[in-house]
Amino acid sequence: MAQPWYQLSASEVLQQLGTSPTTGLSADEAARRYAQYGPNELAAHPPKSPWLMLWEQFTATTVVVLIVAAVISAFLGDFKDAAAIMAIVIFNAALGFTQEYRAGKEFAALKKMAVPRARVYRDGEWLQLLARELVPGDIVQLEDGDQVPADARLLECVNLRTQEAAFTGESESVEKTLAPIAGEALALGDRTNMVFMGTIITYGRGRAIVTETGMNTELGQIADSLQSVEQEQTPLQRRLDQLGRRLALAALALVAVIFLFGMARGENLDDLFLTAVSLAVAIIPEGLPAVVTIALALGSRRMLKRHALIRKLPAVETLGSVTTICSDKTGTLTENRMTVTILSLAGERVELRESYAQITSRLDGKKSIFRPGEGVPLPPPMALTLVGSALCNNALIPDEPTPGDPNRADSDVPKAIGDPTEIALVVAADRLGLAKEELEDLFPRVAEAPFDSDRKRMTTLHQLGVKDGKWIVDNNSSRLLPITYTLPITPYISFTKGSVDGLLQISSHVWVGDRIEPLDTTWEEKIKEQNDHLAASGTRVLGVAFQHLEYLPPSGAEVSSEQNLIFVGLVGMLDPARPEARSAIQICTQAGIRTIMITGDHPLMAKCIAEDLKIATDGQYLTGQDLNELSLTELEEKAATVSVYARVSPQQKLAIVEALKNRGEIVSMTGDGVNDAPALSKADIGVAMGITGTDVAKEAADMVLLNDNFATIVAAIEEGRIIYDNIRKFIRYNLTGNASGVVIMLLAPLFAMPLPLEPTQILWINLLADGLLALALSVEPAESNVMKRPPYPPNESVFSRGVGRDIIWIGLLMGLSFLGMGYYLRSLGWETWKTMVFVTLAFSRIFLALAMRSEGDLLIWRGLLSNQPMLGAVILTFGLQMMVIFTPWLDNIFETKPLTTQELLICLGVSTIGFWAVELQKLFTWGLRKQQASR
């Protein structure tokens, strides 16, 4: 029976698990426990065994038909045909097995990339590790939006709530506590001092010690019911399966016609049976599902190399049809690299450099330099703003600095783990000598009202460290903040940071110089003016306020302290636009894809960045307040022209997505927070941030950006278009070639000719077409206009845009040409005419594949070396066909005769008819487009 951890106090749990609350586990001890308990992950269902994969190759409908045909042939005494058919069946099964096995490996590799991460305390330092590396005894940090990485006993919680519906069935989140709970075998919902693997932190924050990992967790015990089901077919695969069934019916009709023709002519029934079965198999493109799977798997791997992790396979198909990208601003369109400027309300502005601060008086323009450690105190409003922004902050900082870390600008500032905005604030305070660790030691946090998207602010409550009426800044009291209070010294103080507009609504005073003044209309206008001035230059602005408290509010009612605050300063953070975002947006415009910015930041800042990136040039934008006043119908009308939305809540994101989808747009939406999940789920393509995104957002998303970069979305859309184009190329190529074979077999009796092709020959050509050449088409590079054309609708028919037309007219042209050649050679008495029809049809597949590598570019423009797998497939296919012709023992199997050089050249020449038809059609279409463009 599992240890009832919920019955023990936090200190008892720490003691039993052998963990120090001050340092956590050591690296050596963690390694030892990892070896003992294994990785912290659920035992997945075993992958499909290779033997099962191989067995399924022999149970496919078309293969069963072939096996039956081989058995009947053997029963009738035709062992040669039976052996030939079985050889082709085995070869086809081996090829299909190889494709499926490789695809499985690709998806398994992608799945390993989608593991959650956790913030872990080891050796006295906070680290960010893969959740699978956790062991019992690890101390972890939990915040709003995180997925709980393992079962754990809470050591600290601030308004912590979790969503445990997977265990309890209750949709209401559970409020957590710290005290031990009495009782035996309590239900999970009653163990309120525990958190469980797989649940979601919906509010607040906390720290916990891991008690169980992997299959020992509560989730592990019901893993069989929670583990992922087998991957469903994608919509495209389902459409292609439906296509295959329709072609099968058509094949049966054709077979019946050929069988009747043959019987009327007195053909041998055994030969007719084998021919009919072979032709039926040749018509059905049984290679389609394998080609689709391989194309999607390889495309997902290419996207991963471009930092886009595909979580749901249908997303690969939908990506190519995206018409609108709704993108967040911070970190996606911008660099998420904050440069902090602190603007006081006492007429002083501080611009931070790497190791000093430049203070400029806005009254007389005088400048001074502040360097930490030189004994010159910071102006009081600056100090208050820095202290407040560092303490009202959940960024975690290790003790030891890490040289070269991207979260810091120089080697004297330690790296931080957490939200980039909070990291910037901590780093800013640290540079000016106000280390977060020291401040937290002197002003210990005792309560918190966490940030949420509705209030747009966060508040922390602290014990107030004072001496002689002044704040203590360091342990030896050698540095004091030179602030003399005009209010009575109180035991507690609260700091609030958040949107400036929101803070002004709950503030009653403002700090000016070294005194407090009422926040009248004049001061409010000044603050708003300064806020707008910074925001208009693309700067993200936060306000900082504080309040003295005689008493702490009741637990769970910390938000009640957010009233009558003293507004102290503005913090501006400049986050420059990503250089690659500019070019990516330009590519989107060329590709007929509209970019929309949706952000919670100030509208003037959003407008500035949007204009810089050419997202919007008309100055239009809508705020969250504007959206509240619009109906969905009105929003749909506005959505046609407005490309910038600011001060938007996650709920309003959902409304924007609905409005765009109602207009017929195919929408990609980015998000990173818990409340973004509905919008991500509603969008056609939900895109979560891999770095700053919460686990909830990642679970709801179809794709995760591993680098949080807008350019990665555009790259993924390009890959999606390439994949869809290549699947259509295969369909066009395969069915056109199949149609030519059907024409030959169907019309030959009308010309009083014996059937030109033997059953084994039909199967051989089918194998060549669905094998190497088809796979080579699936890795064809992008079309030259892939991102210079509008997106195609995702529900379009596979026969749209000329595919059905080409299958009919090119297939008919090739079939009639090859049949005409056979008819003419037969009339001349050439004994090799049947072999020549077979060889011509086989070679035609090679030239057809080369021509159909591109829908619009001539082969000479693309070059033979631009798809080296195709070149290799062509050479190998040509070699295999030559082997069939000139290898003596194969002559008997395929019923061929060796050809002379003249005959071989005739076959090669006639086999190019399909190639020239496709190329001339491209040239004609290109001329029409050029003529239309010149008008």
Side-chain angles (χ1 to χ4, degrees):
M1 184 176 177
Q3 168 75 40
W5 299 106
Y6 62 89
Q7 297 177 357
L8 306 179
S9 66
S11 59
E12 288 173 330
V13 176
L14 285 163
Q15 183 179 3
Q16 286 205 22
L17 290 172
T19 302
S20 167
T22 57
T23 62
L25 293 178
S26 66
D28 292 340
E29 178 61 19
R32 187 191 69 77
R33 296 189 186 190
Y34 186 84
Q36 177 183 354
Y37 295 102
N40 175 40
E41 58 189 7
L42 299 181
H45 287 303
K48 187 188 294 184
S49 75
W51 290 110
L52 180 59
M53 289 184 194
L54 189 59
W55 169 253
E56 289 177 350
Q57 303 303 318
F58 291 101
T59 55
T61 304
T62 53
V63 178
V64 169
V65 171
L66 287 177
I67 294 173
V68 171
V71 171
I72 294 175
S73 297
F75 181 76
L76 296 175
D78 192 351
F79 297 106
K80 183 187 69 173
D81 280 345
I85 292 172
M86 286 307 300
I88 290 174
V89 166
I90 292 170
F91 191 81
N92 188 65
L95 183 62
F97 168 79
T98 303
Q99 291 173 345
E100 184 175 355
Y101 186 77
R102 287 184 59 188
K105 290 291 186 183
E106 293 284 349
F107 289 129
L110 292 178
K111 188 177 179 183
K112 288 180 180 178
M113 294 292 298
V115 295
R117 304 183 75 88
R119 292 176 288 275
V120 189
Y121 196 53
R122 287 185 183 172
D123 286 321
E125 181 177 351
W126 285 103
L127 307 172
Q128 202 156 22
L129 304 176
L130 294 176
R132 69 187 306 274
E133 298 176 20
L134 292 181
V135 297
D138 267 329
I139 296 175
V140 295
Q141 175 86 1
L142 303 171
E143 292 185 6
D144 181 16
D146 287 351
Q147 187 179 63
V148 178
D151 286 5
R153 170 66 161 88
L154 287 167
L155 303 176
E156 172 188 332
C157 70
V158 179
N159 298 333
L160 190 67
R161 291 178 175 270
T162 62
Q163 173 59 262
E164 298 179 353
F167 295 101
T168 65
E170 297 291 334
S171 58
E172 188 72 21
S173 59
V174 178
E175 186 173 356
K176 293 299 178 179
T177 60
L178 288 178
I181 303 171
E184 295 293 333
L186 290 182
L188 296 186
D190 296 328
R191 303 178 194 179
T192 55
N193 57 12
M194 299 284 296
V195 289
F196 304 103
M197 182 180 189
T199 59
I200 304 298
I201 307 296
T202 59
Y203 192 76
R205 66 177 183 86
R207 292 184 185 180
I209 180 169
V210 174
T211 55
E212 305 289 351
T213 59
M215 295 303 291
N216 293 325
T217 62
E218 297 294 337
L219 182 59
Q221 294 177 26
I222 54 174
D224 288 341
S225 62
L226 290 178
Q227 282 177 349
S228 299
V229 296
E230 187 175 348
Q231 178 69 51
E232 294 182 359
Q233 282 188 312
T234 69
L236 179 60
Q237 285 174 318
R238 287 195 293 271
R239 290 206 303 271
L240 295 182
D241 277 355
Q242 185 179 29
L243 170 64
R245 287 192 293 272
R246 290 176 178 174
L247 289 174
L249 294 175
L252 289 175
L254 287 171
V255 165
V257 171
I258 291 173
F259 209 84
L260 291 173
F261 270 128
M263 290 182 66
R265 291 173 46 111
E267 298 277 355
N268 183 280
L269 288 180
D270 296 349
D271 292 341
L272 272 178
F273 170 76
L274 289 175
T275 300
V277 168
S278 302
L279 189 59
V281 171
I283 292 172
I284 302 170
E286 65 272 9
L288 266 179
V291 167
V292 171
T293 301
I294 290 294
L296 294 176
L298 294 178
S300 298
R301 173 59 69 182
R302 287 197 303 270
M303 290 182 190
L304 184 59
K305 291 180 180 177
R306 300 176 79 166
H307 307 292
L309 173 63
I310 299 299
R311 296 191 66 256
K312 301 174 184 177
L313 202 57
V316 178
E317 302 167 16
T318 313
L319 272 168
S321 303
V322 166
T323 61
T324 303
I325 302 176
C326 296
S327 175
D328 192 13
K329 178 184 69 65
T330 304
T332 309
L333 293 169
T334 61
E335 294 183 7
N336 208 6
R337 176 179 55 83
M338 302 294 185
T339 302
V340 176
T341 296
I342 301 167
L343 180 66
S344 80
L345 303 179
E348 292 163 330
R349 175 190 180 104
V350 175
E351 297 180 27
L352 264 68
R353 303 293 187 259
E354 290 194 357
S355 58
Y356 67 93
Q358 177 177 287
I359 304 174
T360 306
S361 172
R362 291 171 43 248
L363 300 177
D364 57 17
K366 291 184 178 179
K367 296 182 179 180
S368 60
I369 300 297
F370 174 86
R371 287 186 171 85
E374 292 187 349
V376 178
L378 272 173
M382 303 298 175
L384 276 167
T385 304
L386 282 169
V387 170
S389 58
L391 287 173
C392 187
N393 194 308
N394 285 329
L396 304 174
I397 302 182
D399 292 333
E400 296 296 326
T402 304
D405 188 84
N407 286 331
R408 44 192 203 98
D410 60 78
S411 59
D412 295 328
V413 182
K415 75 172 182 178
I417 300 172
D419 179 78
T421 300
E422 296 201 329
I423 289 172
L425 296 172
V426 172
V427 170
D430 193 282
R431 285 180 183 167
L432 297 184
L434 298 173
K436 178 178 170 66
E437 300 94 327
E438 294 180 6
L439 291 175
E440 287 183 331
D441 287 342
L442 296 164
F443 303 98
R445 186 186 298 189
V446 292
E448 174 185 352
F451 175 87
D452 69 46
S453 55
D454 294 324
R455 289 166 36 247
K456 291 187 174 63
R457 56 182 173 265
M458 168 186 180
T459 296
T460 55
L461 295 86
H462 305 260
Q463 288 182 348
L464 180 59
V466 295
K467 181 180 180 180
D468 300 329
K470 297 181 180 180
W471 286 7
I472 302 173
V473 178
D474 60 21
N475 288 320
N476 59 22
S477 303
S478 61
R479 291 210 328 265
L480 306 175
L481 283 179
I483 301 169
T484 302
Y485 293 100
T486 57
L487 296 176
I489 301 300
T490 58
Y492 303 103
I493 188 169
S494 70
F495 289 102
T496 302
K497 78 172 192 299
S499 71
V500 176
D501 294 339
L503 280 187
L504 288 175
Q505 294 174 9
I506 57 174
S507 296
S508 58
H509 292 78
V510 59
W511 190 283
V512 183
D514 58 357
R515 66 189 183 279
I516 295 172
E517 294 186 1
L519 180 62
D520 55 19
T521 304
T522 302
W523 268 114
E524 190 168 337
E525 290 300 320
K526 284 185 179 180
I527 294 171
K528 288 182 177 179
E529 180 185 347
Q530 293 163 0
N531 181 37
D532 291 346
H533 176 74
L534 280 176
S537 63
T539 303
R540 182 177 186 184
V541 186
L542 292 176
V544 179
F546 74 100
Q547 180 190 17
H548 294 278
L549 298 172
E550 288 287 350
Y551 306 100
L552 290 175
S555 178
E558 288 82 3
V559 175
S560 64
S561 66
E562 294 179 347
Q563 55 183 330
N564 298 320
L565 303 185
I566 302 167
F567 198 100
V568 65
L570 299 171
V571 182
M573 286 159 284
L574 183 64
D575 186 12
R578 288 180 181 265
E580 61 271 28
R582 291 186 178 89
S583 58
I585 289 169
Q586 184 179 1
I587 292 171
C588 284
T589 303
Q590 292 176 346
I593 301 170
R594 181 180 169 208
T595 305
I596 291 177
M597 177 194 290
I598 303 177
T599 179
D601 285 338
H602 195 284
L604 293 179
M605 179 173 64
K607 175 175 171 288
C608 177
I609 295 292
E611 291 177 346
D612 182 30
L613 293 173
K614 301 295 189 292
I615 291 175
T617 56
D618 54 8
Q620 289 191 78
Y621 62 82
L622 288 176
T623 65
Q625 186 175 357
D626 297 330
L627 293 175
N628 287 334
E629 298 172 358
L630 296 176
S631 66
L632 185 58
T633 303
E634 292 171 329
L635 179 56
E636 288 175 21
E637 296 176 2
K638 292 283 188 181
T641 56
V642 177
S643 297
V644 181
Y645 298 83
R647 286 284 190 257
V648 173
S649 69
Q651 291 76 14
Q652 291 167 333
K653 273 189 177 184
L654 181 60
I656 295 170
V657 172
E658 289 179 348
L660 290 168
K661 292 188 70 173
N662 290 346
R663 292 184 56 83
E665 304 287 343
I666 307 300
V667 182
S668 168
M669 166 66 79
T670 67
D672 55 9
V674 177
N675 293 333
D676 289 330
L680 293 176
S681 299
K682 182 71 175 178
D684 298 283
I685 296 290
V687 182
M689 304 295 105
I691 298 174
T692 60
T694 61
D695 293 329
V696 177
K698 294 173 187 176
E699 285 295 322
D702 304 288
M703 183 172 77
V704 178
L705 301 185
L706 301 182
N707 59 357
D708 290 9
N709 193 335
F710 179 84
T712 303
I713 304 175
V714 180
I717 289 174
E718 181 181 357
E719 290 290 350
R721 290 188 174 191
I722 294 170
I723 291 168
Y724 183 64
D725 285 351
N726 287 348
I727 291 172
R728 281 174 48 88
K729 288 173 189 175
F730 169 79
I731 295 171
R732 182 171 172 239
Y733 154 75
N734 186 278
L735 296 185
T736 301
N738 288 355
S740 65
V742 170
V743 168
I744 292 172
M745 297 297 286
L746 190 61
L747 298 184
L750 297 180
F751 290 92
M753 296 171 62
L755 294 176
L757 299 172
E758 300 296 330
T760 49
Q761 293 173 352
I762 296 173
L763 297 176
W764 173 252
I765 293 172
N766 194 50
L767 181 65
L768 291 180
D770 285 354
L772 300 170
L773 294 171
L775 286 178
L777 275 177
S778 70
V779 295
E780 182 66 30
E783 295 278 344
S784 59
N785 70 334
V786 68
M787 293 301 283
K788 296 179 182 178
R789 60 164 174 79
Y792 300 134
N795 57 349
E796 71 172 5
S797 166
V798 293
F799 296 116
S800 64
R801 291 184 280 118
V803 170
R805 176 200 63 207
D806 290 352
I807 290 171
I808 294 172
W809 87 266
I810 297 175
L812 189 62
L813 173 65
M814 291 170 60
L816 288 174
S817 300
F818 304 157
L819 186 61
M821 179 194 73
Y823 182 85
Y824 178 71
L825 295 176
R826 179 171 177 264
S827 67
L828 294 178
W830 288 30
E831 296 183 354
T832 56
W833 73 272
K834 277 191 173 184
T835 300
M836 291 180 70
V837 171
F838 166 53
V839 172
T840 302
L841 188 60
F843 284 161
S844 72
R845 292 301 187 95
I846 294 175
F847 290 108
L848 195 61
L850 289 172
M852 291 187 172
R853 283 181 52 196
S854 171
E855 293 185 6
D857 294 340
L858 298 178
L859 178 62
I860 193 172
W861 296 347
R862 289 183 79 81
L864 287 173
L865 296 179
S866 59
N867 184 349
Q868 295 184 8
M870 172 61 77
L871 186 59
V874 165
I875 294 171
L876 185 55
T877 302
F878 181 82
L880 289 171
Q881 184 60 35
M882 296 295 285
M883 183 179 68
V884 166
I885 302 171
F886 295 108
T887 303
W889 63 272
L890 289 176
D891 288 350
N892 294 328
I893 296 176
F894 289 97
E895 299 186 28
T896 59
K897 296 179 180 180
L899 300 179
T900 65
T901 302
Q902 179 190 12
E903 292 169 335
L904 193 61
L905 290 175
I906 290 173
C907 293
L908 281 170
V910 177
S911 68
T912 63
I913 285 176
F915 172 86
W916 294 116
V918 174
E919 293 293 275
L920 288 172
Q921 179 178 256
K922 292 180 196 173
L923 200 59
F924 178 73
T925 305
W926 175 79
L928 284 179
R929 286 199 303 265
K930 189 175 181 181
Q931 188 176 12
Q932 291 172 355
S934 63
R935 289 176 181 174

